Amino acid sequence: FDGLSRSLEKAWDSVRRDGKLTAENVKEPMREIRRALLEADVSLPVVRRFVKKVEEAALGERVVKGLSPDQKLVKVVYEELKTLMGGQQAELVQPKYGPSVILMAGLQGTGKTTAAGKLALHLKKKGLKVLLVATDVYRPAAIDQLVTLGSRIEVPVFELGTDVKPPEIARQGLEKAKQEEYDAVIVDTAGRLQIDERLMEELRETKAAVNPTDTLLVVDAMTGQEAAGLVKAFNDAVDITGAVLTKMDGDSRGGAALSIKEVSGRPIKFVGTGEKMEALEPFYPERMASRILG
Ligand code: GDP
């Protein structure tokens, strides 16, 4: 986003002149918002719903003392952006008993394995005993990659090579975690270049095998328009509890951040901000809303 408020600036004149927000004078700012969001690669249905909500809220009765009409509109946009992204920071689900089990899903190359390692380090730093489980049996390199990451952050990696089916590896990994009193188990799953039914079926089976507390979809921030369809497909198949938005350090236009919650009803829980294992942060909707407004 190139500072939504900056692109709105030229649309402000009419609003300022009239002294209040009217159906007539919000039209131009609404067009600007719509344009800015589409340019940022937010999917069209999400943009439509968002603009409608902003318009309704802007014209609503709520009187905000001490704010000029343009400030009021900025405030409305900020609040609606925040709501669109889930309102508050979303934590991982806490299990009533036994270890947290976090299933990592997503397409290949999105940063899923990296995110699994980052999350393991994040939880380890909180004092938890963490186990990583490698179930991507289709790419032997993926298992090696996780083992390497694990040794770098000093988190053990459970793996059974490539001859055992993913749901069975996950099941045995969880069994080990329970026996050895781990606090958290992070299961890395296979990614594909495209969504296919076999991948989804196997993901469902792996999920059923471990009954995770969280199922996190890893989404590359560069995904743009396709994010909405991707999130919907995974959510329909495995009912995600949240997302990890990776590569936020890159020059993405940020659209995926706005589509995820709207499409799935599930929040972004973490963002990846670099290749290093430390580059993972909780996702704060209010910070992102401020960043978008610029
Ligand atoms: P997977 O196929 O989904 O498991 O993807 P990987 O975890 O192997 O990551 C693919 C590439 O993206 C690797 O080169 C990672 O270093 C890189 N990567 C992952 N997360 C981030 C991130 O947050 N920022 C940047 N810049 N690169 C990332």
Side-chain angles (χ1 to χ4, degrees), residues 1-11 27-44 47-48 50-51 225 253 258:
F1 292 97
D2 198 17
L4 186 54
S5 57
R6 216 171 325 135
S7 68
L8 280 173
E9 228 140 70
K10 52 184 166 209
K27 273 198 187 128
E28 183 58 25
M30 288 305 145
R31 257 198 300 275
E32 279 298 319
I33 292 169
R34 187 186 151 90
R35 196 188 51 74
L37 294 179
L38 287 175
E39 238 166 51
D41 251 348
V42 183
S43 78
L44 185 57
V47 173
R48 281 208 184 109
F50 180 77
V51 169
Q225 289 276 340
R253 289 183 283 173
L258 295 182

Side-chain angles (χ1 to χ4, degrees), residues 65-84:
K65 280 212 184 93
L67 288 187
S68 61
D70 52 326
Q71 286 170 332
K72 185 181 164 188
L73 190 53
V74 168
K75 188 171 183 304
V76 167
V77 173
Y78 169 80
E79 292 297 337
E80 291 298 332
L81 278 173
K82 207 174 99 179
T83 305
L84 183 64

